[in-house]
Amino acid sequence: MNPEDVGRAGGVRLIGDPVDDAESSDQRVLEVLAAAGDTSTGSDELAAGVTDRVSQYHLSRLRPNLLRPLTLGKGLRVLEVGAGTGALTRYLAETGADVVAVESNLQRARATAERCRAMGNVEIVCGPLDSFTDDERFDVLLSIGSVETVRRLRALVRPGGTVVTAVDNPLGVRSLVGRDEHDHAHAPWAGLAGYGPGEQDAGRWPRPRLADLLDDAGLGAQRWLFPFPDYRLPTAILTDRAYDRPDAVTFVDQIVRWPSSAGSSSPARVVDDRLAHRAFLDAGVGRDVANSFLVVAAEEAAAVGKLLPDDVDAWFFGRERLRIWTRFKQFSAGEAPFVDVRPAVAEARESQWLRQVAEPREAAVAGPTVEQLALEAMANGPEALGLVLGSWRAHLRAAEVPGPGDPTEEPHPFRLPGAGTLLPPDHVDVSLTNFVVDESGTHVLIDREWVVGSHVDSLLARVRALWWFAADLVRHGVEHPWSSRTTVDELTMALGTLCDTPVDAADLYRLRIAEADLQEKVTGTPVEQIHALLAEIGESSQVEAGVLGGLPFAALRRDVAALAEALTAAEEAAKIAEERVEALEQEVRGLTEHAHNLDGALAAERELREHLAERLREAEQRWQALERRFLFRVYRFLRRVVGAR
């Protein structure tokens, strides 16, 4: 292939012979990028092109979260190795850094060029790494998903420069509990069993081995970060400081919540991911079982410090949102812990009846969330769970005002005519995760991000919180006191009975209507699609095929043991019943024989009576014949005469 055919005209500089093994997904991503007017990291157009896990990896707004903790910007020269379709390349360029992105696949290099079009601080190079040279060298070497390139390209880093790499952990909690390993092998525990020669080094490294490799490359100063659920689409990133906190178990669990996404099910999962993660945290090995590692390394600690601050415990990004709602939180500790909300904008952003208020800084509140307390209480049965939910309900009751309120207030889906009690406009999201119980036992609403135009129907807000909690219990295979056949909707009703929140089918339908409207505004997904998804989730239970594959084996084993015990009891009851039936049959046989004897005696009695009746008739006939005789009449006359004297 002639380099001039691609070269600068296509935004790609060829070196050596590029790889031209384009996949259908690569072509589609290129087409989406070419058709988009906005190809920035927060592009709503690109996010709308996500149709599956592969396209999500290339087009999701979550991809750049991996690099947000780093202090990047003008004056830095960055070499990105294995740029793919440019999701991280674009973010690097948006910081103002000068970026050289190297990608061996021609189709993907073209996609990177399309994504970074009109950006003068990006150069895309396509070809084998062995052919790449650069005399100016770089301040930062970025190698995501591969460590071998760090060894080979270490010489391209300037004195005082840094290396940033991210890899999967074969001993991550997701792997240990039996989740599929996605990019490496769609089977549980494949990494522990061994992929084959050289495959582990390509993208999965245990923490000690990765640390040794970087040490051997002269990068002894290292700062480790821990992305969750992994480095590809991180929704949270932790630092070493998070694991060193006195409340590390509670804090890390609050930030991470479910270590694996609900969609990454595996029929071999042995235990609830979150439960296992908390156990590892409590044992002090949380770092070692993180699903992925993000490492900033250099020869000297000062170089690492320039790229990554050491005063942060964690970053929380959350799920996909439209650009106008995108923000993330940075948690800092110390004598006065606080939470930075970035981008730090104080003004409200809004869409019709929904507004977002993002305070630049919030005071951090230490303590477990109501969700954490509820999960812990669930092991002790409905009564214990009811105490937790009842306390949450009592807090909300204190904030309620009588309905229906002022009829001139702005209407919205979370407030319908006839509402019994109302909550303040910033209580539309009263999820169990949004309440922290502090040292004094007070419930503190920690996130008042979403605000509506007027008061909120208290019942509908509570139903929403309980429904999403129930959905997590079902989709993540959490053991709960009810049957595994209980659907999300039914579980919501059961939870409602524990905390003075009666829920019926009409309430659930109202919730789906309101929630679909809310999610459409936040995510841009069509409201009809969201409504259908909510209905599908509501009807799901832990025994359905789509959910059953992700249920913990340990819990399943306990269920089987319970069923076996119940079956044994049923067999014993059946045996007793069979013996009772046999006794009854014998008794019936005795009664039948007795009845037969009685029938015989009765027949004999009837025969005797008939015989006596016949004798009586014969006697009467003889008497009548005797009376008709002359001598008998004389005898009777004489008796009367004698009797008269």
Side-chain angles (χ1 to χ4, degrees):
M1 180 179 294
N2 187 341
E4 299 300 328
D5 294 339
V6 181
R8 296 296 180 182
V12 178
R13 177 168 66 91
L14 288 180
I15 55 172
D17 294 324
V19 177
D20 194 6
D21 56 352
E23 301 177 0
S24 58
S25 58
D26 295 334
Q27 179 60 34
R28 182 180 177 277
V29 169
L30 178 57
E31 292 172 356
V32 171
L33 289 166
D38 176 15
T39 59
S40 66
T41 55
S43 171
D44 295 334
E45 291 181 79
L46 298 187
V50 174
T51 58
D52 53 23
R53 180 174 175 81
V54 174
S55 59
Q56 182 185 29
Y57 176 73
H58 294 288
L59 302 173
S60 171
R61 303 182 190 90
L62 301 181
R63 283 292 305 283
N65 289 343
L66 183 69
L67 303 183
R68 294 192 191 280
L70 306 181
T71 304
L72 299 165
K74 292 183 178 180
L76 290 180
R77 192 162 188 258
V78 180
L79 171 62
E80 181 190 10
V81 179
T85 59
L88 298 182
T89 312
R90 175 73 192 216
Y91 175 79
L92 291 168
E94 289 175 354
T95 68
D98 293 318
V99 184
V100 176
V102 181
E103 170 56 45
S104 61
N105 183 290
L106 181 57
Q107 189 85 309
R108 293 178 182 177
R110 285 173 167 167
T112 301
E114 193 65 56
R115 194 191 297 260
C116 299
R117 60 179 180 262
M119 300 196 77
N121 57 336
V122 179
E123 180 184 16
I124 295 96
V125 179
C126 183
L129 282 178
D130 293 340
S131 301
F132 179 77
T133 59
D134 190 292
D135 295 336
E136 294 184 45
R137 296 196 288 178
F138 299 88
D139 300 294
V140 178
L141 167 61
L142 182 69
S143 179
I144 304 302
S146 175
V147 179
E148 285 300 317
T149 54
V150 174
R151 292 172 172 171
R152 295 159 59 187
L153 301 178
R154 171 73 177 85
L156 293 176
V157 179
R158 293 171 176 171
T162 54
V163 171
V164 179
T165 187
V167 294
D168 282 325
N169 179 13
L171 301 179
V173 62
R174 180 172 63 190
S175 299
L176 293 178
V177 302
R179 290 284 196 184
D180 288 350
E181 297 184 4
H182 297 305
D183 292 353
H184 302 281
H186 293 279
W189 305 302
L192 299 179
Y195 300 114
E199 289 184 276
Q200 182 174 353
D201 291 350
R204 290 170 57 86
W205 289 75
R207 193 173 181 220
R209 288 192 58 206
L210 179 56
D212 289 344
L213 182 146
L214 294 174
D215 280 335
D216 293 342
L219 302 169
Q222 302 166 12
R223 192 166 295 167
W224 290 68
L225 301 176
F226 309 90
F228 282 91
D230 56 36
Y231 72 82
R232 296 168 185 80
L233 300 168
T235 57
I237 297 178
L238 303 170
T239 67
D240 271 316
R241 288 169 53 100
Y243 293 96
D244 291 333
R245 291 171 57 123
D247 62 343
V249 176
T250 297
F251 178 76
V252 172
D253 180 66
Q254 283 179 7
I255 300 298
V256 174
R257 296 185 68 218
W258 313 102
S260 302
S261 62
S264 57
S265 298
S266 167
R269 188 158 67 111
V270 296
V271 71
D272 177 353
D273 304 25
R274 189 166 182 176
L275 190 64
H277 192 216
R278 287 182 63 90
F280 288 132
L281 292 170
D282 190 51
V285 294
R287 298 174 179 86
D288 297 314
V289 298
N291 292 328
S292 297
F293 305 122
L294 172 64
V295 188
V296 179
E299 292 182 355
E300 303 293 338
V304 175
K306 291 180 181 179
L307 198 62
L308 181 65
D310 62 355
D311 59 347
V312 178
D313 289 347
W315 293 264
F316 179 78
F317 308 104
R319 299 174 180 174
E320 292 271 10
R321 294 179 177 181
L322 291 173
R323 178 195 291 275
I324 64 169
W325 312 115
T326 300
R327 68 173 194 167
F328 67 93
K329 292 182 177 182
Q330 179 175 293
F331 294 81
S332 300
E335 295 183 1
F338 60 89
V339 181
D340 276 334
V341 180
R342 302 188 179 188
V345 290
E347 68 271 13
R349 288 170 280 186
E350 58 186 276
S351 175
Q352 298 178 9
W353 54 269
L354 182 66
R355 293 186 300 142
Q356 181 191 48
V357 178
E359 296 294 336
R361 177 165 292 188
E362 303 171 357
V365 181
T369 64
V370 173
E371 181 204 39
Q372 289 176 310
L373 294 174
L375 290 172
E376 182 178 352
M378 200 142 33
N380 297 319
E383 184 176 352
L385 178 58
L387 292 176
V388 174
L389 297 179
S391 179
W392 165 76
R393 173 70 184 100
H395 171 84
L396 294 176
R397 187 180 289 110
E400 290 175 346
V401 297
D406 186 352
T408 64
E409 287 187 323
E410 179 185 352
H412 55 79
F414 283 90
R415 179 186 177 182
L416 299 179
T421 54
L422 302 173
L423 288 169
D426 61 355
H427 278 53
V428 66
D429 185 5
V430 293
S431 303
L432 305 188
T433 57
N434 280 355
F435 285 89
V436 170
V437 181
D438 65 16
E439 294 180 353
S440 67
T442 302
H443 288 62
V444 181
L445 181 58
I446 59 173
D447 195 343
R448 301 172 187 262
E449 174 185 8
W450 301 111
V451 181
V452 294
S454 61
H455 283 80
V456 177
D457 184 337
S458 175
L459 176 61
L460 194 56
R462 284 178 278 135
V463 172
R464 179 181 186 270
L466 295 176
W467 191 89
W468 280 113
F469 180 60
D472 280 337
L473 296 181
V474 170
R475 292 186 297 170
H476 290 279
V478 179
E479 290 186 80
H480 55 69
W482 294 272
S483 166
S484 56
R485 294 184 296 274
T486 305
T487 66
V488 171
D489 285 348
E490 293 168 343
L491 191 54
T492 303
M493 296 179 185
L495 294 170
T497 62
L498 300 179
C499 58
D500 187 28
T501 303
V503 184
D504 58 25
D507 296 322
L508 294 171
Y509 181 77
R510 290 172 54 208
L511 171 64
R512 287 195 292 271
I513 295 296
E515 187 68 12
D517 198 340
L518 172 65
Q519 295 296 332
E520 186 269 339
K521 287 179 171 52
V522 174
T523 67
T525 306
V527 66
E528 297 82 4
Q529 182 177 337
I530 298 173
H531 190 277
L533 177 61
L534 294 174
E536 180 182 345
I537 293 174
E539 296 172 355
S540 65
S541 72
Q542 292 184 345
V543 299
E544 295 180 0
V547 180
L548 186 61
L551 295 186
F553 176 76
L556 180 61
R557 183 173 58 185
R558 284 192 291 271
D559 287 346
V560 170
L563 289 173
E565 184 177 350
L567 180 60
T568 300
E571 290 175 345
E572 290 293 331
K575 184 178 180 180
I576 295 173
E578 185 178 353
E579 293 174 353
R580 178 60 178 161
V581 168
E582 185 177 349
L584 289 173
E585 288 177 346
Q586 185 174 356
E587 185 176 351
V588 168
R589 286 194 296 271
L591 291 173
T592 302
E593 183 178 352
H594 182 61
H596 179 71
N597 294 335
L598 289 176
D599 287 343
L602 183 60
E605 179 69 20
R606 284 196 298 267
E607 185 177 352
L608 179 61
R609 289 180 61 185
E610 291 175 359
H611 176 70
L612 292 175
E614 181 64 27
R615 294 285 302 274
L616 180 61
R617 286 192 297 271
E618 291 176 355
E620 288 177 348
Q621 291 174 358
R622 292 175 62 189
W623 179 259
Q624 291 174 359
L626 185 61
E627 283 184 329
R628 290 193 293 268
R629 293 180 181 181
F630 173 77
L631 290 177
F632 185 76
R633 289 197 299 269
V634 172
Y635 169 76
R636 293 180 65 180
F637 172 75
L638 292 176
R639 288 282 306 266
R640 288 196 298 271
V641 172
V642 173
R645 292 182 179 180

